Amino acid sequence: MALTMGIRMRLPSLLGARQICYPSLSCMARSFSSAPSEATVNGHPVKVYNPEGVKRVIVTKELPGDRWLNILTSSGCRVEVSQHPDTILDVPTIKQLIGSKCDGVIGQLTEDWSDKLFGALKAAGGRAYSNYAVGYNNVNVADATKHGIPVGNTPGVLTETTAEIAAALTLSAARRVCEADVFMRSGQYKGWLPSLFVGKLLQNKTVGIIGAGRIGQAYAKMMVEGHKMNLIYYDLFPQPKFQEYMENYSKFCAANGEYPITVTAASSPEEVLKTADVLSLHMLLDDSTHHFINEERLNMMKEDALLVNAARGPVVDEVALVKHLKAHPEFRCGLDVFEDEPLMKPGLEECLNAVIVPHIASASLWTRSGMATLAASNVAAVLQGFPVCPQGVDVIPFLDLPLGSEALKACPSIVNAADLKLTMKK
């Protein structure tokens, strides 16, 4: 089971660590002065930027901000942004957009990037692909490698925005916010009642994390520091710095007249399931985590537990979850992702004890613009022959340093760099 992701963490000054300084949106989104022209590619509408560019890059969806566009056009790219009306583009449509000459593509996590598309991209002279996402379970990396195409992703800018949506789902489900909102809007509120939408207090309860990577850790800190929740977590790999951080926070609480929190590194996921009042999932999706939460594991959880998933939909057996929600009305969940996106399993929409939102964990402007910048930086850098940054590098400079800076002459993240034997930045 793979359970980790990527950005440096915000640490409070009491532990002697610095904080992240997020660049302003005005710095991130410098305007691109030339208005796009309109064109069609094999019958599909596109917006064209820098039409005189010698390297053709296809972008399968409109992206927020302008910095990403400036990165590509300043590196000599003609950028064509698909205006296709379908929310999710299928393989034949993307192949037609690639056409007979294409140097690079920025694609979406909803698209099936495997042998057919990488073969088409290679045949068109393509040399670069970047997913507009940190995850890449929609990409067959082996197929890309077979065709000699580097695959980029966008780590390092989703940590806290994803943790925030997990926290929002937790609070909304625990305090029945969505149910109460519908109740108010439908005109049913006739006055205060002692029993009206009684929910669950999180203070001093136990939050459980499965997958204590950067997002899991950020979420844990929000819940522990914000609500004085005790913590139990499981990860495949030891997390000594995280453990020390939480132990130091517990000591800080005790020294300032608060009850010290407890922190437990569990020896198994099942230990977390049986102990937690709130369980939040933060693992990657692979064969070992598919349907990780199933009927058996749901039944291990407390009758009134709360399950949060802002990771990947298929880590939860959604049919089993619907059955469990209906059989246990005090059990609650908050879901940002779904097994068969954009669809939900039948019956989920009927469960008032489920808070459901349409995959918006990364939907802050800072994060979505940053993702676009990193994806464009990957493609532009590959096309210019720049080296690849090592895994875990701080990507924040890519978002705010002036374009053309020496530090930006690198690919932020290429997942198959080692297999392709690409030059690494020293």
Side-chain angles (χ1 to χ4, degrees):
M1 189 193 315
L3 301 171
T4 52
M5 285 197 180
I7 192 178
R8 84 187 148 181
M9 310 308 297
R10 183 194 293 127
L11 303 176
S13 56
L14 68 96
L15 297 182
R18 60 176 177 161
Q19 296 187 347
I20 299 172
C21 293
Y22 291 109
S24 67
L25 289 174
S26 61
C27 290
M28 286 174 47
R30 298 174 176 87
S31 62
F32 182 76
S33 57
S34 299
S37 58
E38 296 181 356
T40 59
V41 178
N42 290 319
H44 302 300
V46 295
K47 286 182 181 178
V48 181
Y49 298 86
N50 193 33
E52 303 305 317
V54 296
K55 291 168 282 193
R56 180 172 177 260
V57 173
I58 287 291
V59 182
T60 63
K61 287 292 170 188
E62 291 273 11
L63 302 178
D66 289 324
R67 184 174 170 89
W68 70 271
L69 188 56
N70 292 332
I71 288 168
L72 290 169
T73 55
S74 65
S75 62
C77 295
R78 170 191 170 103
V79 181
E80 299 180 13
V81 181
S82 172
Q83 303 298 298
H84 197 284
D86 289 354
T87 300
I88 299 174
L89 300 188
D90 59 21
V91 169
T93 299
I94 298 173
K95 285 181 70 174
Q96 290 171 340
L97 285 168
I98 289 171
S100 60
K101 199 274 183 186
C102 181
D103 295 278
V105 177
I106 296 176
Q108 304 295 315
L109 58 80
T110 52
E111 299 160 1
D112 179 14
W113 280 87
S114 52
D115 188 64
K116 287 184 179 179
L117 285 182
F118 285 120
L121 182 56
K122 183 67 174 181
R127 292 182 286 142
Y129 170 80
S130 188
N131 225 29
Y132 179 69
V134 64
Y136 46 92
N137 53 288
N138 65 305
V139 178
N140 188 318
V141 178
D143 286 345
T145 303
K146 179 181 71 174
H147 291 288
I149 296 176
V151 173
N153 68 334
T154 64
V157 293
L158 293 94
T159 299
E160 290 176 329
T161 193
T162 302
E164 281 185 356
I165 205 70
L169 289 169
T170 302
L171 291 165
S172 296
R175 298 304 302 270
R176 304 177 66 182
V177 171
C178 294
E179 293 174 77
D181 180 86
V182 171
F183 184 81
M184 283 294 296
R185 292 177 190 276
S186 61
Q188 298 181 64
Y189 182 52
K190 305 303 180 184
W192 185 89
L193 288 172
S195 58
L196 190 62
F197 293 110
V198 173
K200 183 171 184 173
L201 181 69
L202 298 178
Q203 202 83 359
N204 303 126
K205 297 296 193 299
T206 298
V207 60
I209 309 294
I210 298 184
R214 289 180 172 87
I215 295 174
Q217 290 182 26
Y219 169 81
K221 290 173 183 178
M222 291 176 187
M223 304 313 296
V224 171
E225 296 173 4
H227 303 277
K228 299 298 184 289
M229 298 188 79
N230 296 311
L231 173 67
I232 183 169
Y233 69 93
Y234 175 80
D235 195 276
L236 284 178
F237 306 99
Q239 300 292 336
K241 291 184 178 179
F242 178 54
Q243 181 76 23
E244 181 183 13
Y245 179 103
M246 285 302 180
E247 290 173 353
N248 285 342
Y249 180 72
S250 182
K251 293 173 184 176
F252 171 79
C253 290
N256 286 274
E258 300 272 2
Y259 285 109
I261 60 103
T262 63
V263 53
T264 304
S267 59
S268 69
E270 287 72 23
E271 184 182 352
V272 180
L273 293 169
K274 294 173 183 178
T275 305
D277 298 292
V278 175
L279 173 67
S280 192
L281 305 176
H282 297 282
M283 69 274 281
L284 298 179
L285 175 64
D286 60 21
D287 290 342
S288 69
T289 60
H290 184 267
H291 282 189
F292 175 85
I293 296 295
N294 53 21
E295 183 175 5
E296 178 183 5
R297 286 191 166 121
L298 285 166
N299 287 326
M300 292 180 187
M301 298 177 68
K302 294 180 180 180
E303 186 85 6
D304 63 345
L306 195 163
L307 172 68
V308 176
N309 185 17
R312 285 289 183 261
V315 303
V316 174
D317 180 344
E318 210 167 290
V319 170
L321 177 60
V322 170
K323 179 181 176 182
H324 195 81
L325 287 165
K326 290 183 174 181
H328 302 85
E330 295 304 311
F331 187 93
R332 301 189 180 280
C333 74
L335 305 176
D336 177 61
V337 288
F338 305 90
E339 188 170 354
D340 298 323
E341 282 187 33
L343 303 177
M344 296 184 291
K345 293 296 187 184
L348 181 58
E349 76 284 355
E350 301 168 2
C351 296
L352 298 181
N353 47 344
V355 176
I356 47 180
V357 297
H359 204 150
I360 58 171
S362 65
S364 69
L365 182 56
W366 185 86
T367 292
R368 291 279 174 92
S369 298
M371 291 164 62
T373 293
L374 294 177
S377 297
N378 283 326
V379 170
V382 168
L383 295 182
Q384 293 176 92
F386 292 155
V388 178
C389 292
Q391 281 193 326
V393 71
D394 180 5
V395 299
I396 302 302
F398 284 92
L399 309 189
D400 202 42
L401 285 180
L403 298 187
S405 299
E406 197 65 29
L408 303 186
K409 293 181 179 180
C411 306
S413 180
I414 301 295
V415 301
N416 56 346
D419 291 335
L420 292 173
K421 296 180 172 54
L422 300 181
T423 302
M424 304 301 294
K425 186 177 182 180
K426 295 180 181 178

